Amino acid sequence: MSTKHQELANLIWDVADLLRGDYKRSEYGRVILPLTVLRRLDWVLEPTKDAVLARHAQLKELGVQNMDPVLRKTAGLSFYNTSEMSFRKLLGDQDHVALNLRAYIGGFSPGAVDVLEKYGFDAQISRLAEAGLLYQVVAKFVDVDLRPQVVSNHQMGYVFEDLVRRFSEAGNETAGEHFTPREVIKLMVNLLLAPDEDDLVTPGIVRKVYDPACGTGGMLSEAQDHIQEHNPHATVEVYGQELNGETYAICRSDMMLKGGDPTKIAFGNSFSQDGHESERFDYMLANPPFGVEWKKVEAFIKAEHARGFAGRFGAGLPRINDGSLLFLQHMISKMKRPEDGGSRLAIVFNGSPLFTGAAGSGESEIRRWILENDLLEGIVALPDQIFYNTGISTYFWILTNRKDPARARKVVLLDGRDYWTKMRKSLGDKRKMITDEHIAELTRMYVSALSIVDDPEHPQHAKVRVFKTTDFGYQRITVERPLRLCFRVTEEAVALLGEARAVLKYAERESLLAAAKSLIGLKSATRAEFAMKLNGLGKLPTAVEKAVWEAFSFSDPEGEVQTDRKGRPLPDPDLRDNENVPLNDAINEYLKREVLPLVPDAWIDETKTKIGYDLPFTRHFYIYQPPRPLDEIDGEIKALESEIQALLWKVVS
């Protein structure tokens, strides 16, 4: 940020001195941010204020109902104000500042009023008035010169973003819910846009950028700035949606202050209230909340999932307590078709979407759909402790539906976990930061990796690996072994028989149990032989007969193999095993090679085979560290024992 931007932000921040004591530090933004917006809008509207008031009076006299389009045109902006008040006039009546400020706010056009309502600013007006601070705070803002000819829209955006960052960091216990660290955003935007830099300089390009969980709008702003730095004449349209009212207001304010179209920032849940349903975008990026359940919109999402790929969630549904992969499917649904130019997107995830869920689960099916449709371009692992509200490991997923043919069916994994520097002062859980040098190096490595067609035996860089999409797939097979039984009547078995549900309902229960007790000690190695010995129990109902066999049958490695009516071995549920076989490995060959040498009687129940996909990032970068020699460890233990004995001796003496 330039010195001018910093000076303006400092000047506005100084208003916080008035709030100290009556407000917590984390609450300053509730006052200063909406007042900054109001003061800027007041300056922007000043040149056309008289014309708007005159036109409003004229339309009112004519009885025009829908004045909005005409007044927007008169103001030359997407907003206007029909109140006789102005920010400076508020100071003319010290005893009625609250009343006049509310009247002034009520004069704004609907979109601007909506923003201020989402801030919850009316409650702050009352709070400031009760504390005797409202006049002083307004007076401070009257002196802040935010005229467009002094502070451009672009500069104003920087000032506002700096204030948002400060307030987010001041309330660092919740900052990460709505505010992504600037250096993380910068790296994310670089990785998203760097492969397209040659295209971005094309004269007259128009690009649409979207964030379905936009928070305060930092990602949208950084993407817009990045594109326009490469091409000042590019038209960048930014779209977003946010569920939290206050952060929605901040994001929409930022768009207004920059002269953008604030109507492209929608309010509500992106899943159930898609604010941009018919839109498709060139670039998308998001940092959705980690591990947040989607139970509130469960019925809606399941109904859309039932429509298959006619809806957004046809690939699958993740478990109810984490909607991360729903955000990703939502974004994929808004990709442009490849023939229309295609799209690129980047999203921040924790480790869970990489591997949570076994073959056939919702998460695995979503990963399978993404990889089989060749949408995943790369995954970048980030350092831990770089976000405000969590210290866990995080990852960028980068997807595109317009891969270069040479990159088809390839996925880049980049390990960026070691690229960080320690912060001088922690902010919540944020103890590390990524420097500009780290960002440049990681971007260079990622773009270079996109040119690698095949992963060599010894990668050019230990932090980069390139895989085929099928390398992440596996077949979850069910290995069965035959049910082997021997048969005997014991006292415990008779007691067990007496507790069987079918026997408890059997009218001749006592007679059956008496007959069974008379057979205690009876045993046989084969079912046929044992059946003959059980004839003394008489003709039994099917359910009771089944209970008898279950009670008197015992698993035995040396026992008789049990078969069905077609002579096929029955599986033993207790010996059943599941194994994951690489997708490019024939399961029967795997059985011969890995299983049969150990258990020759095993077989695969192919009706239960499932295809699964996971992305075990850490495993691919694991480096084996051999344990230290035992003599070295033993020497350290003896040295510690000697130190302890010496300390004890000092205490005793």
Side-chain angles (χ1 to χ4, degrees):
M1 180 176 288
S2 73
T3 303
K4 183 175 182 179
H5 301 151
Q6 194 72 56
E7 287 176 355
L8 274 170
N10 289 341
L11 181 63
I12 296 171
W13 177 264
D14 286 344
V15 177
D17 290 336
L18 294 172
L19 304 177
R20 192 171 291 114
D22 292 280
Y23 278 79
K24 296 178 183 177
R25 182 178 174 84
S26 60
E27 296 177 321
Y28 293 169
R30 299 178 185 177
V31 173
I32 294 178
L33 291 179
L35 281 173
T36 301
V37 173
L38 278 173
R39 190 64 184 116
R40 172 64 172 189
L41 298 185
D42 187 70
W43 279 120
V44 170
L45 292 173
E46 188 177 67
T48 60
K49 182 67 180 268
D50 292 340
V52 169
L53 291 177
R55 189 65 169 141
H56 177 255
Q58 182 184 41
L59 294 173
K60 192 174 181 180
E61 187 176 338
L62 293 172
V64 176
Q65 296 298 314
N66 185 17
M67 304 181 191
D68 192 68
V70 179
L71 294 179
R72 286 175 187 266
K73 186 175 181 180
T74 305
L77 297 162
S78 61
F79 55 92
Y80 53 86
N81 189 301
T82 58
S83 168
E84 296 286 343
M85 295 299 300
S86 69
F87 219 85
R88 191 169 294 278
K89 286 181 180 179
L90 292 172
L91 300 182
D93 188 352
Q94 185 171 346
D95 296 330
H96 298 95
V97 177
L99 179 67
N100 291 333
L101 181 55
R102 286 189 170 102
Y104 174 61
I105 292 171
F108 274 100
S109 50
V113 170
D114 178 57
V115 168
L116 295 165
E117 286 177 349
K118 291 297 191 300
Y119 271 117
F121 187 54
D122 191 75
Q124 303 310 319
I125 294 175
S126 298
R127 186 174 173 182
L128 289 167
E130 290 170 7
L133 294 173
L134 185 59
Y135 181 84
Q136 298 176 62
V137 170
V138 170
K140 278 275 191 180
F141 272 94
V142 166
D143 293 333
V144 179
D145 189 353
L146 298 178
R147 287 174 295 162
Q149 56 267 41
V150 175
V151 185
S152 69
N153 287 336
H154 193 67
Q155 290 171 326
M156 191 65 220
Y158 275 132
V159 172
F160 194 72
E161 287 172 27
D162 186 63
L163 291 171
V164 171
R165 176 186 60 79
R166 295 189 194 197
F167 293 128
S168 293
E169 291 176 355
N172 56 43
E173 71 279 1
T174 58
E177 293 178 12
H178 311 297
F179 190 82
T180 306
R182 176 60 62 182
E183 80 271 16
V184 176
I185 296 175
K186 186 174 181 181
L187 174 59
M188 188 179 190
V189 169
N190 273 22
L191 297 175
L192 179 67
L193 299 178
D196 285 357
E197 286 191 351
D198 290 342
D199 294 329
L200 293 179
V201 297
T202 304
I205 63 166
V206 178
R207 293 292 181 265
K208 291 184 176 182
V209 184
Y210 173 60
D211 182 347
C214 61
T216 56
M219 290 185 175
L220 294 173
S221 296
E222 183 66 32
Q224 184 177 30
D225 291 346
H226 185 104
I227 294 172
Q228 291 180 332
E229 282 173 9
H230 284 76
N231 185 350
H233 303 293
T235 299
V236 183
E237 299 177 10
V238 294
Y239 297 73
Q241 184 152 354
E242 174 57 31
L243 178 60
N244 178 276
E246 186 174 349
T247 47
Y248 157 77
I250 292 172
C251 182
R252 188 153 171 159
S253 299
D254 192 31
M255 294 303 117
M256 293 173 69
L257 298 182
K258 290 177 178 176
D261 184 355
T263 63
K264 291 175 180 174
I265 306 301
F267 178 69
N269 191 306
S270 294
F271 299 152
S272 58
Q273 301 164 282
D274 186 356
H276 305 290
E277 189 172 0
S278 60
E279 292 287 351
R280 297 294 179 269
F281 304 98
D282 299 285
Y283 299 107
M284 290 171 273
L285 62 175
N287 177 17
F290 300 154
V292 174
E293 67 173 30
W294 43 279
K295 194 171 185 63
K296 290 182 180 178
V297 289
E298 180 180 4
F300 184 93
I301 288 174
K302 285 186 173 179
E304 186 161 342
H305 170 66
R307 293 167 51 203
F309 289 101
R312 293 169 291 171
F313 311 116
L317 298 180
R319 59 198 64 196
I320 197 75
N321 61 2
D322 189 356
S324 298
L325 287 169
L326 292 177
F327 273 102
L328 182 54
Q329 289 186 83
H330 170 74
M331 293 168 76
I332 291 172
S333 75
K334 295 190 176 299
M335 282 181 156
K336 289 184 174 181
R337 296 180 302 177
E339 55 267 32
D340 295 330
S343 304
R344 292 176 59 79
L345 71 85
I347 189 168
V348 184
F349 280 155
N350 61 11
S352 179
L354 292 169
F355 50 77
T356 299
S361 68
E363 292 91 346
S364 179
E365 287 298 289
I366 295 168
R367 290 190 292 267
R368 177 180 180 178
W369 176 71
I370 289 170
L371 287 159
E372 289 185 349
N373 284 279
D374 199 18
L375 294 173
L376 183 62
E377 178 183 276
I379 296 177
V380 179
L382 303 175
D384 59 8
Q385 301 179 39
I386 60 170
F387 287 89
Y388 296 110
N389 67 338
T390 180
I392 63 175
S393 298
T394 50
Y395 303 81
F396 290 151
W397 287 37
I398 302 167
L399 285 77
T400 182
N401 61 350
R402 51 179 172 85
K403 284 185 181 180
D404 185 276
R407 292 282 311 132
R409 303 287 169 188
K410 300 291 192 302
V411 176
V412 171
L413 299 187
L414 171 57
D415 185 3
R417 291 174 292 179
D418 295 332
Y419 292 78
W420 58 273
T421 188
K422 192 172 181 63
M423 295 177 64
R424 286 181 295 177
K425 181 182 178 182
S426 298
L427 293 169
D429 289 310
K430 182 174 173 59
R431 299 178 177 87
K432 300 176 182 177
M433 66 176 294
I434 306 171
T435 66
D436 287 344
E437 290 74 19
H438 293 145
I439 292 171
E441 177 62 11
L442 289 169
T443 303
R444 184 196 65 76
M445 289 164 57
Y446 185 79
V447 174
S448 297
L450 294 180
S451 65
I452 300 174
V453 177
D454 292 305
D455 199 18
E457 287 294 323
H458 302 286
Q460 296 177 12
H461 199 295
K463 299 296 184 181
V464 177
R465 297 293 308 275
V466 178
F467 293 89
K468 298 176 182 177
T469 54
T470 52
D471 291 338
F472 302 110
Y474 63 90
Q475 304 159 90
R476 185 162 180 80
I477 63 171
T478 301
V479 179
E480 303 281 16
R481 294 180 62 189
L483 179 64
R484 295 177 179 272
L485 300 176
C486 67
F487 309 92
R488 58 180 179 270
V489 182
T490 64
E491 188 171 340
E492 293 80 7
V494 172
L496 184 64
L497 175 64
E499 297 301 319
R501 179 177 297 182
V503 174
L504 288 170
K505 296 179 180 180
Y506 184 41
E508 305 295 329
R509 177 176 181 273
E510 297 304 324
S511 298
L512 171 64
L513 294 178
K517 288 179 180 178
S518 69
L519 298 176
I520 291 176
L522 184 69
K523 60 182 179 180
S524 177
T526 69
R527 186 181 185 93
E529 181 183 3
F530 194 66
M532 294 178 63
K533 295 178 179 180
L534 289 181
N535 284 339
L537 298 179
K539 181 67 175 175
L540 299 174
T542 302
V544 175
E545 183 180 3
K546 181 180 178 182
V548 169
W549 280 104
E550 287 178 353
F552 299 156
S553 301
F554 295 86
S555 180
D556 186 342
E558 304 299 325
E560 178 188 41
V561 174
Q562 304 302 297
T563 60
D564 61 17
R565 293 180 180 179
K566 295 183 178 181
R568 295 173 299 196
L570 293 172
D572 186 341
D574 293 332
L575 298 178
R576 183 174 293 140
D577 191 21
N578 293 105
E579 299 195 26
N580 292 342
V581 180
L583 201 59
N584 53 11
D585 195 349
I587 58 175
N588 289 319
E589 292 300 319
Y590 177 88
L591 180 72
K592 292 177 185 177
R593 184 178 69 249
E594 304 291 341
V595 179
L596 294 184
L598 302 174
V599 281
D601 57 359
W603 75 93
I604 297 172
D605 184 347
E606 296 192 21
T607 64
K608 296 178 181 177
T609 298
K610 294 181 179 179
I611 302 298
Y613 278 82
D614 61 20
L615 297 153
F617 191 101
T618 304
R619 189 173 74 201
H620 291 303
F621 289 94
Y622 172 74
I623 299 175
Y624 173 70
Q625 299 289 344
R628 292 183 297 157
L630 289 176
D631 291 344
E632 183 181 326
I633 298 172
D634 189 47
E636 287 185 10
I637 293 173
K638 288 179 179 178
L640 288 170
E641 288 176 345
S642 298
E643 288 179 22
I644 293 170
Q645 287 177 352
L647 290 170
L648 290 173
W649 178 254
K650 286 183 180 180
V651 172
V652 172
S653 60

